Amino acid sequence: MSRSNRAFTLLEVMAAVALLGILYTVLARVAIEALRAEGESRRRLEAALIADTKLGDSFTATEGSVVIPPLGHSEITQGDFKVALDVALFQPPVEWGLSDESLGTPQLFASSPGVPGAQALRTVQLTVSWLEGAEERHVSRTIFLVDFESVSGLAAGAEQAPRAPEEGAAPPQLPESALPPSELEAP
């Protein structure tokens, strides 16, 4: 055979088809994974928008003031999403060192109902969850709320309470009219 009449053999054609088959299989798998990731990103974005909207709407009254939610757990369903709201008293981290018994718990963190300012700080966690195939996915938002009415009651109580003198500080001076007469001034 001459060089110009040369053609592909059946073996070369079969090898090229097999190589193209493997390449198309890999490309199809990549395309399917990309579509799946795009769908999950879209659902995650939708859940994040629901969470942000719920946080903005749930705790703001019509006049713009913050509404303090009651303590506890609540759930609602919105379309394919489950929206869970957990409200708890704020627990200071151990690293803050507020658990030392000798220091006592600051009134702002106190949890007893008789203490002014108790339950002023709250941790609010909103979780939006959905099923993605067989797995449950979720988006969470955590915020901290302050009940300013409780804090103002705490501040008013602190202003009225007498302060203990600091160590090494000079004793408070009384006005001259309140001082008893000295021996030289006595009649």
Side-chain angles (χ1 to χ4, degrees):
M1 252 183 10
S2 71
R3 264 184 158 328
S4 61
N5 291 342
R6 200 166 177 195
F8 290 108
T9 63
L10 182 59
L11 186 59
E12 291 171 333
V13 170
M14 286 177 52
V17 168
L19 186 62
L20 283 175
I22 292 170
L23 181 65
Y24 285 141
T25 303
V26 170
L27 288 176
R29 172 174 254 147
V30 168
I32 289 170
E33 287 297 320
L35 287 173
R36 185 176 297 136
E38 185 269 334
E40 185 177 331
S41 291
R42 183 179 45 77
R43 299 278 287 184
R44 186 171 296 281
L45 176 64
E46 191 176 350
L49 289 173
I50 289 172
D52 292 341
T53 302
K54 287 286 182 197
L55 282 177
D57 294 345
S58 296
F59 309 120
T60 307
T62 54
E63 59 274 352
S65 62
V66 175
V67 176
I68 303 297
L71 298 173
H73 176 82
S74 63
E75 286 185 10
I76 61 168
T77 303
Q78 185 172 340
D80 295 339
F81 298 98
K82 181 175 70 172
V83 181
L85 180 69
D86 292 304
V87 181
L89 294 176
F90 176 76
Q91 296 296 320
V94 176
E95 296 84 28
W96 288 10
L98 296 176
S99 62
D100 185 7
E101 295 298 325
S102 64
L103 296 175
T105 302
Q107 289 184 340
L108 198 56
F109 301 132
S111 60
S112 73
V115 176
Q119 304 176 0
L121 298 175
R122 295 190 184 180
T123 302
V124 178
Q125 182 167 7
L126 186 118
T127 304
V128 179
S129 57
W130 70 96
L131 285 177
E132 188 78 37
E135 295 181 37
E136 182 175 275
R137 308 280 183 173
H138 68 276
V139 170
S140 294
R141 299 286 188 263
T142 302
I143 63 171
F144 302 95
L145 294 177
V146 177
D147 182 1
F148 287 106
E149 290 177 13
S150 296
V151 172
S152 64
L154 178 64
E159 288 175 0
Q160 295 172 358
R163 293 186 181 175
E166 295 178 15
E167 192 174 311
Q173 297 294 321
L174 295 174
E176 286 187 29
S177 61
L179 291 175
S182 68
E183 291 178 8
L184 296 175
E185 297 175 358

